[in-house]
Amino acid sequence: MQSKDKILVVGGYGQVGRVICKDLGNKFPGNVVAVGRNYDKAEQFTRTTNGKVIPLEFDVFADNNNNNILEEISVVVMCLDLNDTRFIEQCIDKGIHYVDISASYSFLSKIMSLDEKAKASGSTIILSVGLSPGLTNLLVQYSKTQFDVLHRSDIFVLLGLGEEHGKAAIEWMVDNMHTTFEVSENGYKKQVKSLEDGKATLFSENFGNRIAYRFNFAEQHFLPVTLDIKRVSHRICFDSRLVTQSLAAFRKLGILNLLKLKPLRNAAVKMFENIQFGSDAYVIKVDSSGKKDDKITEFKCSVIGRNQSEATGKVAAVITESIYIKKHPSGVYHIEQIFNSSDIIDRLSEHIKFHTYDK
Ligand SMILES: NC(=O)c1ccc[n+]([C@@H]2O[C@H](COP(=O)([O-])OP(=O)(O)OC[C@H]3O[C@@H](n4cnc5c(N)ncnc54)[C@H](OP(=O)(O)O)[C@@H]3O)[C@@H](O)[C@H]2O)c1
């Protein structure tokens, strides 16, 4: 009988996956498997871990995979956007736990429909893991503790363009630049467009006041339900004001609709992969308002750090370690339904700076 003690990181040599593999490989040497479609790349990466991480070629979309590997797996960490839930259902059938770092609302909704199946098989499925979604969810959870009733939370993310962002992350971003999506405000549905409806916030001393624009990150759709909040919005900007303002202007003029054409979309992905200016800093910030002691009040907090891929990987590694070593309830959950913001922020204190703002 094979022992079920391995952690399978799909996309394990990508920008985020390699951070997860390295952290978990140091803790559980020989039990972490980094997979992707190219064995040479997997092997080249795992050599940098002194053999603590094992390389494997595995295409998660292929029908002819040798799924015997799943017999040895305790937890799967998914570091790419899937199209359908077939692979996740295979994991659930085998009682494997599953962690997903996707920011895609439509796909995470599909995984949520597997809740009953996961409960029946004893699998714990954790969604919204990473920086955004992930730490942003935990900042909203933390903010909620500052009120008797939390009415609204506005999430802001500032991304540095100087970092080497992974291709899968850039593709997700580019594919969402021209979308229209629905948000829920005070129980009413409202259509909003990505990169429109700018709102200003003070990010940090360094970055100052910036206007950020709507973007279809998953957490703004789930948090109203998981934390019972009437309004949650999500906006992004880049460290370069010029790039942020140009994208907002292109969106207004309809130019970003051209990204629906595959050659132009691929060219935009290439351009963002090659951008070499700006910093590798990021800021995630949550501005909230609600009622405390019968008065309407505000609370603002943020996390500041460098290298969003690394931060995403660090969060995912901490969550995966917990799922690997401890029994958690079976079923499908978002990070904020199982984990406590203060615990996770404490555990990441070497890598991130948590900050609250004076009123
Ligand atoms: N929650 C958050 O805060 C957050 C932050 C950043 C990124 N993300 C998400 O995380 C994901 C990964 O981002 P990243 O920056 O690490 O991207 P990346 O560097 O492009 O990594 C993706 C990895 O997946 C592998 N891969 C692609 N197709 C595969 C397949 N069919 N089967 C197995 N492996 C496959 C790729 O290797 P091969 O091409 O060689 O197979 C690559 O190693 C993206 O979906 C992104 O949206 C989330």
Side-chain angles (χ1 to χ4, degrees):
M1 164 120 178
Q2 288 158 313
S3 56
K4 237 175 149 32
D5 59 358
K6 301 270 188 294
I7 301 170
L8 187 81
V9 184
V10 184
Y13 51 87
Q15 288 300 318
V16 177
R18 57 180 49 228
V19 179
I20 303 172
C21 285
K22 277 195 168 154
D23 277 14
L24 294 175
N26 283 331
K27 295 211 156 126
F28 312 108
N31 279 356
V32 179
V33 187
V35 309
R37 293 168 299 180
N38 184 316
Y39 182 80
D40 289 343
K41 283 190 192 170
E43 209 265 334
Q44 207 177 357
F45 160 65
T46 56
R47 253 192 273 135
T48 67
T49 69
N50 296 324
K52 289 177 185 162
V53 179
I54 302 162
L56 183 75
E57 185 177 314
F58 184 89
D59 181 346
V60 76
F61 297 126
D63 289 323
N64 57 351
N65 273 321
N66 174 4
N67 279 333
N68 280 344
I69 177 70
L70 292 184
E71 304 303 330
E72 297 177 49
I73 304 301
S74 166
V75 190
V76 165
V77 190
M78 187 56 63
C79 301
L80 61 107
D81 285 310
L82 296 179
N83 308 321
D84 61 54
T85 59
R86 275 181 306 163
F87 177 73
I88 307 172
E89 289 183 66
Q90 281 174 22
C91 293
I92 292 176
D93 287 342
K94 295 183 186 299
I96 295 171
H97 307 305
Y98 178 89
V99 174
D100 200 311
I101 69 167
S102 173
S104 160
Y105 169 55
S106 57
F107 187 66
L108 294 185
S109 302
K110 284 187 193 162
I111 305 180
M112 287 186 69
S113 70
L114 303 176
D115 183 51
E116 284 305 317
K117 208 172 158 59
K119 283 198 167 91
S121 77
S123 298
T124 301
I125 313 268
I126 307 288
L127 311 180
S128 306
V129 175
L131 189 68
S132 177
L135 270 185
T136 48
N137 302 48
L138 295 176
L139 289 189
V140 176
Q141 184 204 61
Y142 183 87
S143 303
K144 193 171 179 199
T145 64
Q146 309 297 311
F147 297 93
D148 297 327
V149 186
L150 171 55
H151 292 151
R152 69 178 288 165
S153 288
D154 293 312
I155 301 170
F156 297 91
V157 172
L158 180 146
L159 292 175
L161 288 168
E163 177 184 330
E164 195 186 324
H165 294 279
K167 187 173 183 207
I170 294 172
E171 285 174 336
W172 182 83
M173 207 74 168
V174 168
D175 290 339
N176 278 280
M177 284 182 175
H178 51 75
T179 53
T180 299
F181 55 98
E182 202 169 66
V183 291
S184 165
E185 292 191 348
N186 299 321
Y188 294 98
K189 303 274 182 212
K190 175 178 161 185
Q191 296 275 322
V192 296
K193 288 182 170 179
S194 53
L195 294 172
E196 291 202 1
D197 192 17
K199 189 168 183 158
T201 195
L202 176 67
F203 273 101
S204 64
E205 254 174 44
N206 200 9
F207 290 110
N209 227 15
R210 298 294 181 102
I211 298 177
Y213 296 87
R214 296 260 190 190
F215 218 75
N216 196 12
F217 281 84
E219 61 267 46
Q220 66 194 311
H221 304 287
F222 295 119
L223 284 164
V225 180
T226 58
L227 294 181
D228 189 19
I229 310 168
K230 289 202 177 96
R231 292 173 75 154
V232 181
S233 69
H234 196 301
R235 288 177 173 82
I236 57 161
C237 66
F238 299 96
D239 56 347
S240 159
R241 288 179 199 270
L242 179 67
V243 171
T244 308
Q245 285 164 7
S246 304
L247 284 171
F250 292 163
R251 176 64 166 139
K252 213 172 192 134
L253 294 168
I255 294 172
L256 291 185
N257 286 333
L258 292 172
L259 294 173
K260 291 175 189 164
L261 303 171
K262 205 147 190 190
L264 292 180
R265 177 262 192 194
N266 291 345
V269 170
K270 267 240 137 51
M271 187 192 78
F272 276 103
E273 273 185 292
N274 292 324
I275 280 184
Q276 287 289 330
F277 63 90
S279 75
D280 66 351
Y282 68 81
V283 186
I284 57 169
K285 185 171 183 231
V286 174
D287 294 354
S288 299
S289 63
K291 231 181 202 176
K292 174 90 179 157
D293 300 331
D294 278 331
K295 279 194 216 126
I296 295 293
T297 177
E298 291 188 342
F299 176 76
K300 299 176 182 181
C301 60
S302 69
V303 162
I304 300 176
R306 297 203 163 274
N307 194 326
Q308 64 81 31
S309 305
E310 184 170 281
T312 299
K314 296 272 174 205
V315 176
V318 165
I319 301 301
T320 305
E321 179 185 349
S322 176
I323 299 294
Y324 183 60
I325 62 176
K326 232 168 57 194
K327 178 84 190 127
H328 288 277
S330 47
V332 182
Y333 302 94
H334 293 275
I335 192 170
E336 70 277 9
Q337 294 176 289
I338 299 284
F339 294 92
N340 176 276
S341 47
S342 302
D343 290 349
I344 302 296
I345 289 167
D346 274 359
R347 287 200 56 182
L348 294 168
S349 59
E350 267 179 45
H351 310 283
I352 62 173
K353 238 184 8 227
F354 175 64
H355 183 72
T356 59
Y357 297 70
D358 292 332
K359 290 191 181 123

